[in-house]
C-alpha cells in the first residue's frame, strides 16, 4: 500500500521518504520503530546488568575477613549471568546499529532474528534463575544475622540482585518483541510485513 | 466464527476437507494441530507440576522432629508455584477440550489467546524462579550436612525441584506456542491464518 508516511527515527521522521516510494514503506517504518524500541530495551538491560555485575563484583573489598561474593556459589552465578547478559547486550546493540547504518542485518535475516529471539529467551530465563537464587541467598544471610556483622555486604548484594531483576525485565520485554519479529518472519516470510 | 469442521486427533486429518472447501481448510487444520500440541504440553506440565507439588507437600511426615517443607519459605514458594501451575493447567486443558468439543473458544477469541499467552509466560517465570530458589535451598541443606540426619528430606526436595523444572520446560514450550498464536492473531487478525 502506498503511503506518504516518512520513516526515520521516532523523533525526527522527516527526510528519508523520497528514497523509498514502494508499498512497504509503512511496514518498514513500523519495523524501524520496532527495532528502535528493541535497541532501547537492550540498552536498558545492558545498563542494569552491568551495574548489577559491578555491584556484585565489588562486594568483597571491605576487609580481609569480611565475606566476599566469591565465597557463595549463588553470587558467583549472579555475577556470571549479569556479565553474560551485559556482553550479549553490547553485541546485540552493535548489530542493531550496524543494521541501522548499513540497512542490512549482520547475519542472514532469518538466522539473525532466530539467533536474537533464542538468546533473548534463554538469557532471560538464566538471568531470572540467577536473581531468584540470589534473593534466596541474601535472605538466608540476613536470617543468619551475618548482615549486621559484615558492613554493607548484604545491602550491596540486595542492590545487585534488584538491579539484575530490572535487567531481566527489560530483557524479557525485548524477548517478547523479538519473538513477535520471529513470528512475523515465520508467518509472512519477512520481517517487513508487520 | 461458526465452523463445520469436526475435531479429531493429529493422526486422522483426512476426512475434514470435504466439509470445508474454502481456502482456510489448511489453516484450520494447522490450528487444530497447534492446539492439540499445546494441549499435550499443558498435560505434561500438569503432570510434572502436580507430582512436584505432591512430593514437596508430603516432605514432612518422616518423624516429628525432622525438617518439614513448611519450615522453609523457599520450599513453601516451590509448593505454591507448582500448585498454581497445576491448577492453571487443569483450567487450560478444560478450555482446550471445550474448544475442541464446541468449536468455539471459552472466552472471546482475542481475550482468550492473550489470557493464555500472558499467563503461560508469567507462570513460567514464576515457576522458574521458584525452582531456582529451591535448588539453592536444597544445595545449602546438603552443604550443612542436614541431609544425612534427616532421612529422605533432601532427596525428596531435590526430586520435587527436578520435577518442577520439567514442568517449567513444558510450560515454557506452551508459552512459545501460545505466543506464536498471539502473533498470528495480531498480524492477521485471526488465529486461523497460520
Amino acid at each position: 500500500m502506498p503511503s506518504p508516511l516518512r520513516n526515520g527515527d521516532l523523533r525526527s521522521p522527516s527526510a528519508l521518504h523520497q528514497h523509498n516510494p514502494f508499498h512497504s514503506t509503512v511496514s518498514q517504518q513500523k519495523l524501524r520503530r520496532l527495532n528502535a524500541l528493541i535497541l532501547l530495551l537492550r540498552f536498558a538491560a545492558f545498563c542494569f546488568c552491568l551495574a548489577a555485575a559491578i555491584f556484585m563484583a565489588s562486594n568483597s573489598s571491605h576487609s580481609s575477613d569480611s565475606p566476599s561474593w566469591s565465597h557463595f556459589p549463588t553470587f558467583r552465578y549472579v555475577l556470571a549471568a549479569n556479565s553474560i547478559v551485559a556482553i550479549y547486550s553490547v553485541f546485540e546493540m552493535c548489530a542493531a546499529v550496524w543494521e541501522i547504518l548499513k540497512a542490512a542485518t549482520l547475519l542472514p535475516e532469518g538466522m539473525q532474528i532466530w539467533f536474537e529471539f533464542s538468546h533473548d529467551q534463554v538469557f532471560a530465563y538464566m538471568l531470572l534463575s540467577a536473581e531468584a537464587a540470589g534473593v534466596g541467598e541474601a535472605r538466608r544471610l540476613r536470617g543468619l544475622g551475618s548482615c549486621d556483622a559484615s558492613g554493607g555486604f548484604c545491602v550491596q548484594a540486595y542492590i545487585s540482585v534488584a538491579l539484575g531483576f530490572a535487567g531481566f525485565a527489560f530483557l524479557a520485554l525485548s524477548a517478547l518483541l523479538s519473538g513477535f519479529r520471529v513470528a512475523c518472519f515465520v508467518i509472512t516470510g519477512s520481517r517487513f510485513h508487520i
Side-chain angles (χ1 to χ4, degrees), chain A:
Chain A
M1 68 189 74
S3 164
L5 283 177
R6 316 269 184 295
N7 38 19
D9 68 8
L10 292 177
R11 244 149 292 126
S12 61
S14 55
L16 304 171
H17 296 262
Q18 294 79 359
H19 305 295
N20 195 346
F22 300 109
H23 73 285
S24 60
T25 305
V26 176
S27 295
Q28 287 200 352
Q29 186 184 349
K30 284 185 185 170
L31 180 71
R32 192 180 307 272
R33 289 187 182 184
L34 185 65
N35 285 344
L37 185 58
I38 293 180
L39 180 60
L40 195 70
L41 290 172
R42 287 194 195 291
F43 181 68
F46 165 73
C47 293
F48 280 108
C49 287
L50 184 68
I54 290 173
F55 259 81
M56 188 55 83
S58 64
N59 202 4
S60 60
S61 57
H62 300 297
S63 72
S64 60
D65 59 344
S66 72
S68 161
W69 60 269
S70 59
H71 300 158
F72 301 93
T74 310
F75 289 156
R76 290 204 296 266
Y77 181 33
V78 171
L79 176 62
N82 279 301
S83 307
I84 288 171
V85 171
I87 292 168
Y88 167 72
S89 298
V90 169
F91 171 76
E92 282 297 329
M93 285 191 290
C94 290
V97 171
W98 171 283
E99 187 177 342
I100 289 171
L101 292 179
K102 304 269 184 178
T105 49
L106 200 60
L107 304 172
E109 191 180 11
M111 196 188 297
Q112 169 107 15
I113 59 176
W114 276 107
F115 176 88
E116 287 181 3
F117 171 62
S118 56
H119 283 75
D120 282 357
Q121 192 78 5
V122 168
F123 285 156
Y125 285 138
M126 183 188 71
L127 194 58
L128 178 66
S129 67
E131 307 305 337
V135 166
E137 189 77 16
R139 287 185 76 251
R140 183 181 72 82
L141 286 176
R142 196 182 57 181
L144 291 176
S146 55
C147 283
D148 311 325
S150 55
F153 182 77
C154 281
V155 174
Q156 205 163 332
Y158 267 118
I159 292 174
S160 169
V161 168
L163 289 168
F165 269 118
F168 157 75
F170 288 109
L171 187 61
L173 283 177
S174 75
L176 275 186
L177 292 183
S178 59
F180 181 75
R181 214 163 47 174
V182 166
C184 261
F185 189 76
V186 169
I187 294 166
T188 67
S190 162
R191 293 182 305 163
F192 288 94
H193 293 280
I194 295 177

